[in-house]
Amino acid sequence: MANLLHNSSFFLLLCLLHFVLVAKSQSFIGINYGQVADNLPAPEATAKLLQSTSIQKVRLYGSDPAIIKALANTGIGIMIGVANGDIPPMASDPNFAKGWLSSNVLPFYPASEIIVINVGNEVMSSNDQNLMTNLLPAMQNLQKALNDVSIGGKIKVSTVHSMAVMKQSDPPSSGSFDPNIGDLLKGLLEFNKATGSPFAINPYPFFAYQSDPRPDTLAFCLFQPNAGRVDAGTKIKYTNMFDAQVDAIRAALNAMGFKEVEIVIAETGWPYKGDSNEVGPSIENAKAYNGNLIAHLRSMVGTPLMPGKSVDTYLFAMYDEDLKPGPTSERSFGLFKPDLTMSYDVGLSKANNQVPTPKPPVSPSPNASPKAPVTLSPNPAPKAPVTPTLVPTPNTTVTPLSPKTEKSVKAGVSDSQSQANINVGMLVLSQILWYPMLHMR
């Protein structure tokens, strides 16, 4: 009996340790730190703010030394970027890659935990053939430079794609890449596979809703209750756009023979403000999307094609970038204000990071003029869920696809809840472990 109790206690201890590690780790939540602004707080202040949140990773579009240095010894993983303009010289000259590394990485690493270097941003959808053909050689030269200083296995090299690299994404199981860039993309994916670096991409359900501004589409995009959309190929029912988009990407990678290549969501977000003719931006919708996305990631449910794990996801964005051109929404994605207060609460604070209950979705006003109006059928809507094809915006190809069963989108668990559960678990465990010792003869 004592042996049985001892073995049971050991098993429970392992389970509890696993629970503690999962509960305390939220390394899959990152954030984008753009700098197209003239009112940003000091890097040191931002570093301190990040440490007060459950955000574990930061993506920079460049390699600002002040920010990289400010993040030293914080335990926060850092993605940095090589500018698109540096791709041709990096591709043609290995010494350029070595020099770039010497200036932007070696002075700070490993105190500053640089984990990925993205060579270029959305190059494959830029239609710039010079950049597109030089991208892989640039990545190879940078990888060699990393290998030469023995950190090639510690810092990964990748590039970030827009959803415009997708030709087909509806339904998710039919996901495929644009054949016009097929050969170039295959070379990049072979590099990802060989080096263990991720395929980074920017899905935005926000743009999907702008293309199909119906109430059921909004609920689908915001992780809120909806009828769901069924993938005719797999019969999987999806209940949110994010899972559908991610699974379309997974299907496209699998179809090309790259099942081993991991996906990283380099950007996703929802603006809290927009112009009068923009459909979708509001504080309520932004809070619902980001808050429910964070809860979904924390649930570790995953997607139908990648269950039981959360894909690394970098929220867009840390702050508003007031110098960005375009509609008001382009300057209204920030989760935090320059004074370091929250734009709205999505439960990222360590002090109390339970995701607040968002308000119901805000449908477009009658006066709003959507970018891509949808003509609804005069016939009554069928009882079975319908999978509409969403029209992509000029800059983003989106996946209108089917979402995942609502049951699997569990509520997020706050750090305080996790700690309370851990404390109770430790108390119970102590009783379990001591019991056989007290009764051993």
Side-chain angles (χ1 to χ4, degrees), residues 32-33 40-41 46 49 317-321 334-338 340:
N32 285 267
Y33 187 170
L40 298 178
T46 296
L49 172 61
M318 187 80 194
Y319 303 112
D320 290 343
E321 295 177 85
L335 294 178
F336 297 93
K337 299 176 183 179
L340 307 177

Side-chain angles (χ1 to χ4, degrees), residues 41 105 207 234 238 259 287 296 314 342 403:
V105 175
F207 293 122
T234 60
Y238 286 81
K259 294 182 179 180
K287 183 175 180 178
H296 184 47
Y314 290 75
M342 291 181 288

Side-chain angles (χ1 to χ4, degrees), residues 113-192:
E113 193 179 339
I114 298 168
I115 54 175
V116 178
I117 304 173
N118 290 313
V119 180
N121 185 45
E122 301 190 347
V123 171
M124 297 308 293
S125 52
S126 68
N127 294 319
D128 187 324
Q129 290 300 316
N130 184 44
L131 289 181
M132 292 166 68
T133 55
N134 277 295
L135 179 56
L136 179 57
M139 292 168 65
Q140 291 169 330
N141 279 342
L142 185 58
Q143 182 67 52
K144 187 176 185 306
L146 286 165
N147 292 345
D148 288 346
V149 292
S150 302
I151 54 175
K154 299 174 183 176
I155 300 177
K156 302 298 183 183
V157 175
S158 192
T159 189
V160 177
H161 304 280
S162 78
M163 285 292 284
V165 299
M166 301 288 291
K167 177 193 176 184
Q168 179 77 22
S169 55
D170 174 25
S173 61
S174 68
S176 62
F177 293 113
D178 182 352
N180 294 320
I181 59 171
D183 291 340
L184 291 173
L185 194 58
K186 184 178 180 183
L188 295 172
L189 289 170
E190 286 172 345
F191 177 90
N192 291 140

Side-chain angles (χ1 to χ4, degrees), residues 97-109:
K98 291 179 181 178
W100 192 95
L101 196 65
S102 295
S103 298
N104 298 288
V105 175
L106 299 184
F108 313 106
Y109 183 86

Side-chain angles (χ1 to χ4, degrees), residues 168-394:
Q168 179 77 22
S169 55
D170 174 25
S173 61
S174 68
S176 62
F177 293 113
D178 182 352
N180 294 320
I181 59 171
D183 291 340
L184 291 173
L185 194 58
K186 184 178 180 183
L188 295 172
L189 289 170
E190 286 172 345
F191 177 90
N192 291 140
K193 180 179 177 180
T195 62
S197 64
F199 179 81
I201 193 164
N202 302 335
Y204 276 90
F206 167 67
F207 293 122
Y209 174 61
Q210 285 200 318
S211 300
D212 181 12
R214 295 177 295 172
D216 62 321
T217 302
L218 182 60
F220 183 49
C221 289
L222 298 182
F223 298 84
Q224 293 180 330
N226 63 90
R229 301 180 185 184
V230 177
D231 184 321
T234 60
K235 307 305 179 186
I236 292 171
K237 182 180 180 182
Y238 286 81
T239 56
N240 69 79
M241 179 69 77
F242 180 83
D243 282 354
Q245 290 183 320
V246 172
D247 274 2
I249 298 161
R250 181 74 271 162
L253 289 169
N254 293 353
M256 285 188 70
F258 294 98
K259 294 182 179 180
E260 308 91 339
V261 175
E262 294 289 330
I263 297 170
V264 163
I265 305 305
E267 283 181 29
T268 191
W270 198 287
Y272 63 85
K273 184 171 61 176
D275 295 323
S276 59
N277 65 339
E278 288 190 90
V279 178
S282 73
I283 289 179
E284 291 82 4
N285 289 347
K287 183 175 180 178
Y289 177 73
N290 287 308
N292 289 334
L293 171 60
I294 291 166
H296 184 47
L297 294 172
R298 285 176 177 161
S299 75
M300 300 297 287
V301 168
T303 73
L305 296 187
M306 296 183 291
K309 64 177 182 178
S310 291
V311 63
D312 282 6
T313 300
Y314 290 75
L315 305 172
F316 189 85
M318 187 80 194
Y319 303 112
D320 290 343
E321 295 177 85
D322 66 331
L323 298 182
K324 271 192 168 183
T328 297
S329 60
E330 282 291 316
R331 297 176 293 280
S332 307
F333 278 86
L335 294 178
F336 297 93
K337 299 176 183 179
D339 65 3
L340 307 177
T341 60
M342 291 181 288
S343 300
Y344 49 90
D345 187 6
V346 292
L348 286 171
S349 172
K350 282 182 180 176
N352 179 20
N353 70 356
Q354 170 126 25
V355 177
T357 304
K359 294 180 181 179
V362 178
S363 300
S365 67
N367 299 324
S369 53
K371 290 185 178 180
V374 176
T375 303
L376 300 178
S377 169
N379 300 320
K383 293 182 180 179
V386 178
T387 305
T389 300
L390 302 186
V391 182
T393 62

